[in-house]
Structures are given as C-alpha cells and as structure tokens.
Amino acid sequence: MAADRTARRSSPADTIGGGEALMQRMIGRIEAVAALAVLLLLATGGSLAAQEFAGREKLRAHSDEFRQDVIKVTDSVYAAVGFSDANSVLIQGDGGSIIVDTTSDVTDASAVKAEFAKLSAAPVRAIIYTHSHPDHTGGATVFAGNDHPEIYSHQLLVDRVPDVGRAGRDGGDQFGASLPDSLFINAGTGMQFGRRPAPTGYIPPTRTFSGDRLEVTIASVRLHLLHTPGETPENIAVWLPDKRVLLPGDDFYKAFPNLYAIRGARLRPVDQWVASLGMMLNLDAEYLVPGHTRPIIGSANVRAALTTYRDGIKSILNQTVEGMKKGERPDELVQHVKLPPALAESPYLQEFYGTVAWAVRAIYTDYAGWFDGNPTNLFPLSENDRAARIIELAGGRDQVLLRARRAVVNKDFQWAAELTDYVLAIDGGNVEAKRLKATALTELGERQISAIARNYYLSAAQYLLRELPGR
C-alpha cells in the first residue's frame, strides 16, 4: 500500500510533530486511492460495489412493502398500507364499523379516513389499539369524530410506563428523523417514522381487559381480543373467527423482529413472543394482516409465515442460551449465533428492522446481566483512562489518527471508528478525529440492510459533520 510505504519512510518529526503536513499528504493519497477504486469498479462492471452495498439495495427494494394502498383482505375487511408508519384496518359491521389501530397522527389518519369513507359511511362503533406504540394510537380522534366509539386495549397498555427516553435516547436517530431525504431510505417497518411529525390524536382506552382474552360482538361482528405479548407486553391480536382474519399487531411483520431496541429499552419478552406466535398458529387463520407491511392471504401462506417467524426467534434464543451454558461471552456468541440457512433465506426474516447480533447481546444481558465472566471487566478502567494509555502505547494521537486514515483507505471502517473514539475520548474537539469518524460511520451506514442500523450510523455521522469548522 502506498500509505504503508510512506509511513515507513517518514521521520519521527513527520509522524508526530508534523501532523498537519502528514494529514494533507494522507488526504491526497486517500483521494487517489478512491479514484483508483472507481476505475477498478468501472473495469469490473461494478460487481464489487454491487456485493458491497447489497444490503442497502435490498433495503431500497423493501420500500415496496409500504407502497400506498387500501387492500381488500376479504369481505368487509380492508387494510390501509403505506399511508402512515403503521397500518390501519377497517372492519365493516351492521350499522357501524370498527377501526383497528389509528396511524401515527391526525394528518395520516385523515388521509386514511378519507379512503375508508369511500367504502363505508357507517359510524365508528369501536377503535382497538393492538398496543401502545404511538404509530398505532396517534390518529384516534380523527376516526372517532363525533361517533363516541369505545376504545379497546389490554389493561397493560394503560398501566405501562413508556420505555422511550428512559435511557436518554428518544428513538429519533434509529428512525432517521433528522436525516436529509438524500440519505434516508425507510424505517424498516414503515416509510418514515417520526420524520414529519404532526399533532397526535390519542384517546385513552375506555374499555380494557386484564386476562388472556376478551370476546366481544360489535356491530354484529364477533371479535376475540387475545393477549399476545411480544413486541410489547400489552400486545393483543384481533381474531375474527367467522372470517378467519388474524390481526397480530406488531408480533409479526415482514422483517426480523426488533427483539431489542437500540433507542434504549429492555429486551422484549422473547419466550412469550414465541408462545404468542404458537397460539396464533393454532387459530389456522386464512388471512394475516400485520401492523406493518402487507397482508398475507391463504391459510398455507399464513401458516408458513407464522411458523418461520416463531422458529426464527426461537432458534436465536436457544442458540444464545446454549452458548451461554458453555461459558461463551457476547462477543463470542455473535460470531456464530445465526439463523439456520433455510430461515435466513426467508423473506419474513430479513434484517430490515431488528438484527440477530443485537438480539443475542440483549438476551445475554437479560439472562446473565452485564458481567461477562471475565474478571478483568469487574472494575475496568474508565473510557478516558484506557484511551490515554492506548494512545501513548501507539506513539501519540497523530499515530492513532494515521492508522485511522489507513483503516478508511482499506475499508476497515469499524476499526477506523474505534480508533477515532480513542482520540475523541481525550480530545473531544479534535477536528480530524471527528471527520474520520464521520466518514467511517457513513461508510458503515451505507452497507447496512437494517434500516435502524443505517439510520443510526448516518445520523451520528451528520452530527459530527455539523460540528466541524465552516459547516
């Protein structure tokens, strides 16, 4: 590598005392390497780039799941997809209708209500919240209008303390709320969660239940509200036994589930999620209408989708626990705990939203706590102390930055980000470290299939770039 040869010829004064001059030479070499890379890609027809960014392109294609549409599921059941972050469902009855989930806000709800009005002018007799997430509850006032419907949910929805923000992260970065349109693709389970917020129209539930199920008849429609903890502890599935329509809330969607939310939350109840999917399988539904992504039609298709989802979650849980019994630590577990090949190829378990690695780490922490068994980690050095010692060991911050630049050139972006973190731990205003870290995070983000990972990487990179002089 040209950069390696230059480093070996440089004198100590060049590498330590002459950091600015070295920086300029290295930037020039980075640009030259980038130009050469472009030429090589053109010569090979771009095949290398296609492989490198395959995850991103799959995520782009996944946006088709959220194309705007009102889908007739079966007689008297319609799903509005793509109008908001979550789906909303209209169930027509005798002299009235039922709405299951109400979109994110009053703007989105108004658009869906206008579409539903083309299908039914009957008053809304009931609104059902499958769970507490705001993309399912924010448009209730619009659908309620002056009809004064009952608002149904599980009692846990009312009792629940929201986990958003408890860890100091509000969730916006994982959804790319502040990203420019040019960098944003989608939110994994919706087109753009929270990117253009409008006023909420949440209405507190007026009728709740605390057991495993509530059977009601509304506008002559029989409904079973089934407590199915998974995505949230209060999640309910809505089962229409006479139509064999199942609305699972967020216990199923077309992506690997977000068993752990990096915005700062507890592990979702994984074992209960598996059990809930098993219970839903036993219903033998003909139609499956998830809270996100498009409906699935046909009993064989529904069974295959739910079975795949259940088996995928169960496999990751079992593999992680088995590895823990052998004394494996999180960094070891994530190297080999994977979906079995047949499940990994399923369209229902692609990592557009959650990721296997995050699930593994969260399961470990939930089952065993923060300590990984290595006594060195009982009372570790502070981040700043460790960084100062590593930088001294490496020969100074200029040497660390030099190696970070080499890592960027060599597309070793994770190592580049980690090296810049050492510098920023002791010199939070270091411009070159911020610039290099922003580059590394951007490159990492552009290679992700997970919308959450992509959005978080790119958001962090944008914050760093905004802090640079002249920005």
Side-chain angles (χ1 to χ4, degrees):
M1 289 287 188
D4 290 335
R5 290 195 296 271
T6 300
R8 285 193 292 271
R9 289 197 301 267
S10 299
S11 68
D14 284 335
T15 55
I16 299 176
E20 185 62 30
L22 177 61
M23 181 195 309
Q24 296 302 320
R25 289 198 296 275
M26 286 304 301
I27 289 173
R29 284 171 171 75
I30 289 172
E31 292 173 347
V33 170
L36 177 60
V38 171
L39 292 175
L40 288 172
L41 287 174
L42 289 173
T44 58
S47 59
L48 294 178
Q51 295 174 13
E52 195 170 355
F53 297 99
R56 180 187 65 189
E57 297 314 306
K58 287 180 180 178
L59 182 61
R60 289 192 196 282
H62 184 57
S63 292
D64 188 56
E65 279 292 317
F66 316 120
R67 65 187 185 275
Q68 201 170 94
D69 203 358
V70 175
I71 300 169
K72 181 177 181 179
V73 179
T74 187
D75 290 342
S76 305
V77 181
Y78 299 85
V81 180
F83 290 83
S84 189
D85 304 309
N87 300 339
S88 185
V89 176
L90 167 68
I91 303 169
Q92 296 173 322
D94 292 339
S97 61
I98 303 157
I99 300 294
V100 179
D101 289 337
T102 64
T103 78
S104 294
D105 53 58
V106 297
T107 300
D108 293 348
S110 296
V112 173
K113 184 176 182 178
E115 293 298 317
F116 285 169
K118 299 174 185 177
L119 302 168
S120 173
V124 174
R125 300 300 187 195
I127 291 173
I128 301 171
Y129 295 147
T130 59
H131 62 292
S132 62
H133 286 169
D135 52 324
H136 296 257
T137 62
T141 55
V142 172
F143 289 106
N146 296 317
D147 296 337
H148 305 292
E150 292 274 25
I151 312 293
Y152 288 81
S153 80
H154 196 276
Q155 179 61 32
L156 288 175
L157 184 148
V158 178
D159 297 340
R160 186 179 183 195
V161 177
D163 56 20
V164 178
R166 285 192 303 184
R169 298 188 292 274
D170 66 4
D173 289 344
Q174 77 172 36
F175 296 117
S178 64
L179 285 179
D181 289 345
S182 60
L183 292 177
F184 184 78
I185 296 178
N186 62 53
T189 56
M191 273 310 296
Q192 42 189 358
F193 188 100
R195 282 175 54 79
R196 293 174 177 83
T200 182
Y202 174 74
I203 301 174
T206 59
R207 185 170 178 188
T208 65
F209 68 104
S210 299
D212 292 335
R213 67 169 55 210
L214 174 68
E215 297 185 10
V216 295
T217 299
I218 304 168
S220 300
V221 179
R222 287 202 306 141
L223 302 104
H224 296 177
L225 308 185
L226 310 175
H227 184 212
T228 51
E231 170 85 4
T232 64
E234 78 280 1
N235 192 87
I236 62 174
V238 180
W239 170 236
L240 281 64
D242 298 328
K243 297 180 180 294
R244 297 180 64 200
V245 174
L246 174 63
L247 284 63
D250 275 7
D251 277 3
F252 174 88
Y253 39 75
K254 194 176 180 181
F256 186 82
N258 202 24
L259 301 181
Y260 167 72
I262 62 171
R263 57 180 165 76
R266 294 173 177 170
L267 174 72
R268 268 72 191 256
V270 182
D271 51 349
Q272 294 181 51
W273 200 329
V274 170
S276 293
L277 288 165
M279 182 179 71
M280 287 188 272
L281 268 166
N282 291 335
L283 297 173
D284 194 25
E286 181 77 22
Y287 310 95
L288 181 67
V289 189
H292 300 269
T293 66
R294 305 178 83 77
I296 298 173
I297 308 298
S299 58
N301 296 329
V302 171
R303 174 164 289 278
L306 290 175
T307 300
T308 294
Y309 221 62
R310 179 200 61 188
D311 292 352
I313 297 173
K314 188 175 181 179
S315 175
I316 298 306
L317 175 62
N318 289 346
Q319 289 181 64
T320 303
V321 172
E322 285 302 310
M324 290 172 64
K325 290 178 180 177
K326 298 174 183 177
E328 293 180 334
R329 303 184 179 105
D331 287 347
E332 297 170 304
L333 289 165
V334 296
Q335 299 305 314
H336 71 81
V337 175
K338 311 289 181 186
L339 288 167
L343 294 177
E345 295 173 2
S346 169
Y348 302 114
L349 290 174
Q350 298 304 297
E351 295 176 279
F352 296 125
Y353 198 48
T355 79
V356 170
W358 298 345
V360 170
R361 292 186 184 278
I363 291 168
Y364 185 100
T365 301
D366 188 69
Y367 278 51
W370 62 267
F371 180 49
D372 64 0
N374 181 357
T376 302
N377 296 326
L378 283 172
F379 296 99
L381 296 171
S382 70
E383 181 182 18
N384 288 3
D385 192 1
R386 182 185 303 106
R389 296 182 190 210
I390 288 175
I391 287 173
E392 180 183 12
L393 187 66
R397 72 187 65 185
D398 288 339
Q399 283 293 321
V400 175
L401 289 172
L402 170 63
R403 283 159 177 77
R405 287 190 286 270
R406 287 181 186 170
V408 169
V409 171
N410 294 329
K411 296 188 176 183
D412 193 357
F413 302 119
Q414 180 63 33
W415 182 227
E418 292 186 20
L419 286 172
T420 57
D421 275 351
Y422 290 129
V423 175
L424 291 170
I426 65 167
D427 181 10
N430 190 289
V431 171
E432 180 62 7
K434 288 182 178 181
R435 182 179 288 112
L436 283 168
K437 183 173 182 180
T439 299
L441 295 182
T442 299
E443 295 289 353
L444 287 168
E446 290 290 356
R447 287 159 174 77
Q448 301 302 311
I449 190 173
S450 165
I452 292 178
R454 174 188 173 84
N455 291 335
Y456 210 96
Y457 275 128
L458 296 183
S459 296
Q462 291 294 300
Y463 296 146
L464 287 166
L465 291 173
R466 289 168 195 158
E467 295 173 1
L468 297 179
R471 299 291 293 194

